[in-house]
Amino acid sequence: MMAQYLEIKAGHPGALLFYRMGDFYELFFDDAVAASEALDIALTKRGKHAGADIPMCGVPVHSHEAYLERLIRKGFKVAVCEQVEDPAEAKKRGAKSVVARAVTRLVTPGTLTEDTLLNARAHNYLAALARTGAEATLGLAWVDVSTGRFEAMALPPSGVAAELARLAPGELLIVEGTGDDAAAQSGAALTELPAIRFDSAAAERRLKAHLGVAALDAFGAFTRAELGAMGALLGYVELTQVGRMPALSAPRRIASADAMTIDAATRANLELVKTLQGESAGSLLSVIDRTATGAGARELASRLAAPLTDPSAIAARLDAVEWFLDSRDIRHDLRAALKSAPDIARALSRLSLARGGPRDLAAVAGGLDAAHKLAAMLDAASPSLLPLPEEIAAAAVALRGVAANLKTHLAAALAEELPLLARDGGFIAKGHDATLDQTRALRDDARKLIAGLQTKYAGETGIAALKIRHNNVLGYYIEVPPRHGEKLVAPPFSDSYIHRQTMANAMRFTTPELAGLASRIAEAAGRALEIELALFDALAAAVIAEAPALSRAASALAALDVASALAELAAERRYARPRVDASLAFDIKGGRHPVVEAALARSGEQFVPNDCNLSADASSMEQGSQSRSDMQNNMSRREAPLQRSIWLLTGPNMAGKSTFLRQNALIAILAQMGSFVPAEDAHIGIVDRLFSRVGAADDLARGRSTFMVEMVETAAILNQAGERSLVILDEIGRGTATYDGLSIAWAAVEHLHEVNRSRALFATHYHELTALTEKLPHLANATMRVKEWQGDVVFLHEVGPGAADRSYGIQVAKLAGLPAPVIARAQAVLAALEKSGEGTKTAKLIDDLPLFTASARPAPVATASAVEEELKTVNPDALTPKEALDLIYRLKAQAAKDGE
């Protein structure tokens, strides 16, 4: 057995080997040590190898998926080795023969298909990155093995990080020995493959064979790098699935310009799918998700990750949302029907990999039933309501395109209660197959036949205590008390009753008749299962034959789910339809931050909406100048609406600057993904790239300080942003010396204005920058409004024209709970700095200011409370009982008031 194990293990050196032994998967040697530590299970030993004990651990077969999930999440790959022959067959070859075993599947982070190992509401991509020497671009391809989605794109090296951040693949295939920083930072499990696996000529042949075509022109003009990446994917999937291939859709070529480019830092800063703490709750996706199905949730996440840049495609999505918003009744009925729609795509994938079960057949049947109901619902609704938008009409066509006879066939074949695995049997409905029904009758009537035989034997022997029993060793046998056993071993019964076993309290016998019946019963049970498995294979083949139509129906269900869910969101949150076109407009009226608004709503508070107009005047942008007198006149009208392509936003901390910056970026993303937006009105010219530098943390693993991380992100923005970009920058330069930071921020604003010419929001505490509005015609000052009340600051969370004259840092520090002596000392230092001006040396300020200890808070003077003062005036002897009771209530109320 160990020789067999070592031979199989040698073929999979990079994976843990789950070696099937009866009801357990066993692991040996280094695999056992690694698995026992990762799974926190006992490490034992069994036998010796080369004179040393063999480490061993194991997991039960019936619950192995839970252990698989933990190993995959920790970065392991697992080769599952199964027994591929009946142990009885092995015994026929000799006493020392070992049951034949083989690896039936290689489980990796990017090739999961089981529901227990996957998040039903998220894609699990396997991606491949290829490079060819003759091309400057790279090829990136990705596939979701669990759903069959298969796509590819060509992109420059600078775009790799952003695309990997969008896809968030579970596993990434790269050429061995080609370390790539973007790949290493993607968070995916990296799998290095030989360069030959990415050969574009071999990949083209593999793709043609997979698609059954002589040319790939109909699927897109793929570059050699794209072909190499797709070929590597197909080869790896075939390798891990041991020769089987899931039902993949035809490869779709994606142009990098088709979607808004959002780099990894921006995705993290905006918390699109996860918060900065790594949690899904509190992200934008968690707030907008109203989908009813797993497939719909995955489609929503895909749209959020890749907002479109084609105004007509965006309008088509918005039309579908608006139709559902206007058709409230049909929306509610459709969403109710969607809630019962199973996940067709993932069930189809498991069936195509021979990993599915009866419940996957039922999922396909249920999905088809939902598809036909929804198609009928849309057909009935369209004459009486507004015409169906393009996206909904296309979905209805796809839903009607699935063969109705397949649904009927599956529904008739499957029983109501279904086992998880086909090998458990009992999933074919009674009456579906006559042969199966007859075989089952023999199997199920065994108890009645055995009972009749027991009555017969008891009568003919005169032994009332005679019983027919069963165990796994003897099978069916006759059991009598010892005192009656002697009767059966003597004539006339000895000829037909054959002695099998003597126990302390019983003797066991069999008869040729009983042996024959037992054989027929066993054969009937095996034959019934054999028939069911054959029927299962036939049903699975019928489903796989309809794979293209089923995939289209699954996509249609997901699209309908997303459109109706976004309509539900718009109705619930009062979102408005944005106008998205090819202009450079960016005009938001009454914009709100969707996540913050939802959080405030839970506590009964209202979000303060704000306008933002970055719509640049095209003619003035081209002229690049404006008279200084005109600019000064504009700035003097503090209440005039701002209309400049760059806003310089000042104001204290906690006033809402970062929220305002983020909400406008999120509104742009929502609009271009095809959703209504949290605003009264929105007009957005296409944003092709979105950049955000809001907040920063150090990157110790790469040797970068917080300031260095900030500068790297700022450099990426200034080097890549264009006039169609939207840039939000928060407090550039704060991580270094004041004048250094001010200089960097100053130069960055000028570069954005003169070179990038982007629409931008630039928040800062460097009030000196506000003077730039006199020089830069497309820069406007805006500020977060606050009020001071009795030494404290009240945040209004309103954005208005103008510049802040103070940062209110000490007031915010007081709100944060800094000790009173620290606040007092800070106020004294600030007053001295403001009085002395910029030229005063720090050393002189230190000499002029009192020591910290000298300015410590004086000891408080004890004062009597209101309750004590009133008690001093009370004469207890003069009080009536009622007056005393009233006094107690009054003092209690006063004490409660004093304690507030």
Side-chain angles (χ1 to χ4, degrees), residues 29 86 118 194 197 241 288 295 302 373 452 482 608 768:
F29 299 104
D86 191 321
L118 291 168
R197 297 280 186 87
Q241 308 308 308
I288 67 170
S302 295
K373 286 181 179 177
V608 178
E768 296 86 347

Side-chain angles (χ1 to χ4, degrees), residues 234-252:
L234 288 178
Y236 188 72
V237 170
E238 190 172 3
L239 172 69
T240 57
Q241 308 308 308
V242 193
R244 292 187 175 274
M245 187 64 69
L248 301 182
S249 63
R252 189 165 71 100

Side-chain angles (χ1 to χ4, degrees), residues 686-699:
I686 287 294
V687 174
D688 65 349
R689 300 178 70 95
L690 176 62
F691 296 96
S692 166
R693 213 234 59 78
V694 181
D698 55 28
D699 187 352

Side-chain angles (χ1 to χ4, degrees), residues 317-443:
R317 288 183 176 180
L318 292 172
D319 288 344
V321 176
E322 185 171 25
W323 189 86
F324 277 120
L325 181 62
D326 294 338
S327 311
R328 185 181 63 178
D329 292 340
I330 188 68
R331 181 177 82 240
H332 290 170
D333 293 343
L334 181 137
R335 285 174 56 76
L338 279 170
K339 289 177 181 178
S340 62
D343 199 330
I344 297 178
R346 287 192 166 170
L348 178 62
S349 178
R350 285 190 291 271
L351 289 169
S352 64
L353 290 169
R355 204 170 296 141
R359 295 179 187 176
D360 290 311
L361 291 176
V364 173
L368 291 174
D369 185 56
H372 288 113
K373 286 181 179 177
L374 292 175
M377 198 179 296
L378 293 173
D379 289 343
S382 56
S384 58
L385 298 171
L386 298 173
L388 290 180
E390 177 183 343
E391 183 174 273
I392 299 177
V397 170
L399 296 178
R400 287 193 297 270
V402 184
N405 59 343
L406 178 60
K407 178 195 73 170
T408 305
H409 185 46
L410 290 173
L414 297 173
E416 291 187 8
E417 297 294 330
L418 299 174
L420 178 64
L421 303 173
R423 67 169 180 256
D424 294 332
F427 54 85
I428 297 296
K430 185 178 180 180
H432 179 70
D433 186 272
T435 305
L436 176 60
D437 290 343
Q438 293 171 4
T439 310
R440 281 176 171 174
L442 178 59
R443 181 199 64 190

